[in-house]
Each structure stands twice: as C-alpha cells, then as structure tokens.
Amino acid sequence: KALPLLERALAIGRESFRLPDARVAQTLNDLGVLQRRLGNSAAAVPLLTEGLSMRRALAGGDDKNVAVTLSEYGRVLRDLGRLDEAERATRGALAMRIRIFGDEHRETATNKSDLGLLLMDRGEIAEAERLFRENVATTERLLGAEHPNTVASKNFVGNVLAVKGDFAAAEQLQREVLIVRQRIFGSASPESAFAVTSLA
C-alpha cells in the first residue's frame, strides 16, 4: 500500500520543486528503505544514491539526515553482498553520527550494530562483539532494559557468543531475549519467532 503513494510523492516532488530539495530527498530515502523492506535491494540502490547525493548537496557537511541515508545505503549494500562498499558507507555514517551526537546516542548505538553485523559477515568476530556490547550498554542506559532496540542488541551479542562457541552464555542471553520479546510483542509475533530461531 505504501509503495504507490511514495512513488507518486516522488513524481510530484520532482515536478513541483527545484532540485536539490529536502522534501524530495526525504521521499527518495523513504522509498529506498521501503524497497529494501520489500526485498528489492537492487531497486533501493539508485534511490538511496540519489537521496544521499541530494542531502549532501543541501547540507554541505556533517548532517544527521545525510547520516540516515548513508546508513540505509550501507544496509542495502550489505544485503547485496557488496561488503567493501557497505563497510565504507557504514563506517562513514558512524563517524558522522559520533561527530554530530557523540558516542552516547541511540543513533550512534544503532550504527554500531550495523557495523557489527557487517563485520560478522567478514568473520571479524572480536570487533563485532565489542560493537554489539557497546550498543547494548548505550541502548539500555538510554531506553531501558525492555526496549525493543535493547532486546535486539542483546540478540546480536547472543549470536556472537554462539559463533565463538560459548553456547551456555549464548543460551542464557537468548532465553532472556525470548521472554522479553514474547512479553512485548506476543508469542505469535515475527519478533518472537526470530528469538526462538536464535535460541534454537
């Protein structure tokens, strides 16, 4: 339902505003994110590339919206297996968010998880674990122990522990994640199903 609305919004924006325009850049970002969520990562790339270029032209330097699109671009590249490009984008977004927000911020913490997932793909387990644990600590301080972001962060740590072969610690953490996700989302939710899979 969202796809045709965003596509129409983009067409209207291109016709109505002198480019680069912040509203068109936002629509490009949203449409790129939606295409990724629909499983169309290849279709998301040109949308996010254009949105990123537009936001950079408007900002002229560090900007929170540039960091958002750069982060989303890195996620799409990771989905496509373009890990070198994905790492550059993800590290760039993280560095920008640290400069803008500092280390103790939810967007910085989320970016650390994105980088951690990418490093997991590369087999760089120790660095991935460090980033995941930093994300857990920051997110728990800022949002609380039972916030969905905190629980997702703990799931990532549990996955790292399993890769390392520390199954007892991984099991304990994934059981905690499952209990909280079932309480927050219900036992029949996709989030709880993912937690069951991780525990299994």
Side-chain angles (χ1 to χ4, degrees):
K1 292 179 180 179
L3 183 61
L5 295 174
L6 280 171
E7 289 177 334
R8 181 63 181 141
L10 180 59
I12 292 170
R14 290 193 192 280
E15 294 167 4
S16 303
F17 305 124
R18 181 179 177 182
L19 302 181
D21 181 85
R23 292 158 290 193
V24 176
Q26 181 66 57
T27 306
L28 286 162
N29 181 88
D30 293 345
L31 191 52
V33 170
L34 179 61
Q35 289 286 15
R36 177 177 181 258
R37 291 188 67 179
L38 290 170
N40 304 325
S41 293
V45 170
L47 295 163
L48 292 171
T49 300
E50 184 182 358
L52 181 59
S53 177
M54 200 173 292
R55 282 185 156 170
R56 280 174 165 159
L58 290 165
D62 285 346
D63 177 79
K64 63 180 183 179
N65 292 322
V66 172
V68 166
T69 304
L70 188 57
S71 177
E72 297 293 350
Y73 182 56
R75 289 173 178 173
V76 166
L77 293 173
R78 176 176 171 257
D79 290 344
L80 293 170
R82 294 161 58 177
L83 298 186
D84 288 343
E85 296 170 84
E87 184 170 348
R88 284 194 295 273
T90 305
R91 286 190 184 277
L94 177 57
M96 190 177 297
R97 281 175 163 158
I98 290 172
R99 289 193 296 270
I100 295 169
F101 300 118
D103 204 51
E104 192 76 358
H105 191 276
R106 60 186 296 175
E107 290 190 32
T108 304
T110 299
N111 228 137
K112 287 180 179 181
S113 271
D114 287 341
L115 183 55
L117 289 169
L118 195 151
L119 294 176
M120 282 272 288
D121 291 345
R122 289 187 173 281
E124 299 177 30
I125 305 304
E127 180 67 3
E129 181 179 3
R130 181 186 68 79
L131 290 164
F132 289 146
R133 288 189 181 280
E134 287 181 10
N135 181 18
V136 169
T138 299
T139 306
E140 194 163 19
R141 279 194 296 270
L142 295 177
L143 302 176
E146 296 205 353
H147 190 279
N149 288 16
T150 305
V151 178
S153 304
K154 289 180 178 179
N155 172 250
F156 295 148
V157 174
N159 290 341
V160 166
L161 291 171
V163 169
K164 290 172 62 178
D166 190 351
F167 296 114
E171 179 184 354
Q172 180 180 346
L173 199 54
Q174 298 295 18
R175 286 191 184 279
E176 292 175 16
V177 168
L178 177 58
I179 289 167
V180 176
R181 279 188 167 170
Q182 287 178 331
R183 185 160 58 243
I184 295 172
F185 299 110
S187 59
S189 67
E191 290 82 1
S192 296
F194 293 141
V196 170
T197 302
S198 293
L199 177 57

